[in-house]
Amino acid sequence: MRNQASRAIFDYWVNLKQDGAAPLKTEIDPAALRHLLPHLFMAAMDPAGTVAFRLAGTRICDLFDREFRGKAFADLWLQTDYRQPVEIAHNVIHSQQPALLDVLASNGHIRHAYEMLLLPIRSVETAASDRIFGALLPRLSPYPVAATPVAFLTLENWTFLTGSGSHFGVPVTGDHRSFSDRPDRLPAGRPPS
């Protein structure tokens, strides 16, 4: 993780996950992450398997110049590049394993490096993960305001995070296996708009 804020969010999630299960959404205290709230989002999977935003921070909405609440996670991505990010989101939820995505935010001409953190959480009424607590943060510097709005994201690289230790500076190991090598691979299709 290049952005220390991403690491702080990951550490916060790891500390909530002390018993090994995905944390409950009610355990997330907005006050603990108040300075990062504009970069955070929550998404949930509906019975049809569509991952959609429940909440999206103001920096995310301002970056794209649109509201994401109720919109499909697939809508963030270039139309020809949504399948793998959606499949990653499905796997984060079903395997309860966090992921870090290196993405490029683009207006069609200018591309800028961001990282997206996807952390599994669960609602009170389920024992298994059914939601994602996520963040979208610039890797090094924010997208130039003069070039906004961003039209879409493209996936550059990704990894499942397998590190369980908290604290800044502790290496986070990754699982770069392709989905076809993973037994928990799920099919992903673009949800209807």
Side-chain angles (χ1 to χ4, degrees):
M1 292 177 210
R2 291 178 183 88
N3 192 309
Q4 283 196 337
S6 296
R7 186 61 203 227
I9 295 162
F10 180 70
D11 285 352
Y12 179 77
W13 177 84
V14 166
N15 287 332
L16 291 177
K17 183 186 169 288
Q18 291 183 12
D19 65 354
L24 289 165
K25 70 174 184 171
T26 54
E27 291 180 287
I28 296 170
D29 179 8
L33 298 167
R34 66 182 164 273
H35 62 290
L36 296 171
L37 288 176
H39 303 279
L40 302 178
F41 65 86
M42 237 182 243
M45 187 163 23
D46 68 17
T50 301
V51 178
F53 288 96
R54 294 295 175 96
L55 300 167
T58 55
R59 288 277 173 89
I60 297 170
C61 295
D62 289 348
L63 183 66
F64 287 86
D65 194 28
R66 58 186 162 131
E67 176 59 53
F68 281 101
R69 187 180 182 126
K71 303 292 184 192
F73 180 72
D75 291 349
L76 276 179
W77 308 91
L78 182 64
Q79 190 147 4
T80 57
D81 193 36
Y82 71 88
R83 290 186 192 277
Q84 191 172 23
V86 168
E87 191 172 354
I88 293 167
H90 277 253
N91 276 275
V92 165
I93 291 170
H94 288 291
S95 68
Q96 297 191 50
Q97 190 171 12
L100 180 68
L101 286 65
D102 288 332
V103 301
L104 295 173
S106 176
N107 66 4
H109 305 287
I110 296 172
R111 299 184 319 164
H112 212 70
Y114 273 69
E115 57 189 25
M116 179 181 280
L117 192 57
L118 302 177
L119 305 168
I121 59 172
R122 57 194 169 97
S123 56
V124 178
E125 58 275 356
T126 64
S129 170
D130 61 347
R131 295 168 191 268
I132 289 173
F133 174 52
L136 181 64
L137 292 150
R139 270 190 251 167
L140 298 172
S141 61
Y143 196 89
V145 175
T148 56
V150 166
F152 54 82
L153 298 178
T154 54
L155 181 63
E156 192 176 40
N157 193 16
W158 65 274
T159 186
F160 282 118
L161 301 175
T162 56
S164 58
S166 186
H167 311 298
F168 286 99
V170 174
V172 178
T173 59
D175 179 354
H176 290 278
R177 291 178 292 171
S178 72
F179 287 115
S180 59
D181 297 336
R182 294 179 57 89
D184 55 350
R185 183 175 190 264
L186 297 172
R190 187 170 184 91
S193 298

